[in-house]
Amino acid sequence: MRATLQAWDESLFLFLNSLHSDFWDPFIFQATQTITWIPFYAFLAFLIVRKFKVESLWIFAAIGLSILFADQFTSAFMKPFFERLRPCHDPRWEGIVHNFGKCGGLYGFASSHASNSFAIAMLINLALKGKYKFLPWLFLWATLFSYTRIYLGVHYPADVFIGALVGIISACLAFWIVMGFRLVLIQRLHSKAQKSENHSE
């Protein structure tokens, strides 16, 4: 079963990776760089601050924690544990894989780009649910951002898919932890305020 799934994954990768052009290569390469999206991230930060003011610090803490979970789980645990070579490092695909730019580290399962982008998309949708109608489109952004890794020959589709799941789970966990801590802190401060008020009476 595992061999069959891997064969399907590799076949899909070879097909998707073959759909490239010299014209689009530099644009896709630039789209996969974090620095390219700094204005986009700044816009999302603006939306959060606009809605939550000082309380936005809790949202930023949750975003940071979700990225920490997603990135460390994929990079520090999964990649060295599974030791699945990136397509561009696999000698079987030499001369076949289209790799534009850097290949990256030796192992690629699972994709940190996918986990981080889906963590951001999920966390912001959780935090701003019902406040902006376009928020679900963030998942389309995360999908396209993750697809660039296949186009550039550095990840298989399964690397991206599992990375996305890790990101979504990381966001849910981080949101639950931070909001839970916030609720406990508020309750304790309220309790102390009530005790102080009763004592002064």
Side-chain angles (χ1 to χ4, degrees), residues 99-132:
N99 174 230
F100 184 87
K102 298 179 180 179
C103 186
L106 190 61
Y107 305 121
F109 184 79
S111 169
S112 297
H113 274 71
S115 65
N116 291 342
S117 59
F118 272 90
I120 292 173
M122 186 66 190
L123 200 291
I124 292 180
N125 269 274
L126 288 172
L128 298 175
K129 183 178 180 181
K131 304 227 174 7
Y132 297 102

Side-chain angles (χ1 to χ4, degrees), residues 187-198:
Q187 288 176 339
R188 288 186 177 183
L189 290 175
H190 182 66
S191 178
K192 285 184 179 181
Q194 281 189 325
K195 288 181 179 179
S196 178
E197 188 177 313
N198 294 335

Side-chain angles (χ1 to χ4, degrees), residues 6-200:
Q6 182 173 335
W8 288 349
D9 185 36
E10 292 174 351
S11 295
L12 180 58
F13 164 77
L14 292 174
F15 170 72
L16 293 175
N17 181 251
S18 69
L19 303 176
H20 62 83
S21 73
D22 294 338
F23 174 80
W24 287 108
D25 284 353
F27 293 101
I28 299 298
F29 179 75
Q30 195 59 43
T32 201
Q33 306 300 311
T34 301
I35 192 172
T36 303
W37 297 98
I38 287 179
F40 177 65
Y41 297 144
F43 173 69
L44 294 178
F46 166 74
L47 293 181
I48 293 172
V49 173
R50 182 183 178 186
K51 283 295 181 183
F52 294 101
K53 304 298 188 292
V54 177
E55 288 288 304
S56 62
L57 292 175
W58 292 105
I59 307 301
F60 292 133
I63 292 174
L65 188 61
S66 67
I67 293 175
L68 178 65
F69 286 163
D71 188 71
Q72 287 302 301
F73 191 74
T74 52
S75 296
F77 172 69
M78 295 186 73
K79 288 175 181 175
F81 180 81
F82 291 103
E83 296 186 340
R84 187 186 192 188
L85 292 174
R86 292 179 185 267
C88 50
H89 281 311
D90 196 325
R92 294 179 301 159
W93 312 130
E94 188 173 353
I96 300 176
V97 168
H98 175 69
N99 174 230
F100 184 87
K102 298 179 180 179
C103 186
L106 190 61
Y107 305 121
F109 184 79
S111 169
S112 297
H113 274 71
S115 65
N116 291 342
S117 59
F118 272 90
I120 292 173
M122 186 66 190
L123 200 291
I124 292 180
N125 269 274
L126 288 172
L128 298 175
K129 183 178 180 181
K131 304 227 174 7
Y132 297 102
K133 293 181 179 180
F134 67 86
L135 288 180
W137 286 93
L138 287 177
F139 290 106
L140 177 61
W141 161 76
T143 300
L144 295 175
F145 183 65
S146 301
Y147 168 74
T148 64
R149 311 305 288 166
I150 300 173
Y151 180 100
L152 296 172
V154 297
H155 281 298
Y156 292 103
D159 300 345
V160 169
F161 178 72
I162 298 300
L165 289 181
V166 170
I168 290 172
I169 294 172
S170 296
C172 293
L173 181 61
F175 189 75
W176 177 74
I177 291 174
V178 172
M179 292 300 107
F181 179 77
R182 172 182 173 276
L183 181 60
V184 170
L185 182 62
I186 290 175
Q187 288 176 339
R188 288 186 177 183
L189 290 175
H190 182 66
S191 178
K192 285 184 179 181
Q194 281 189 325
K195 288 181 179 179
S196 178
E197 188 177 313
N198 294 335
H199 182 72
S200 62

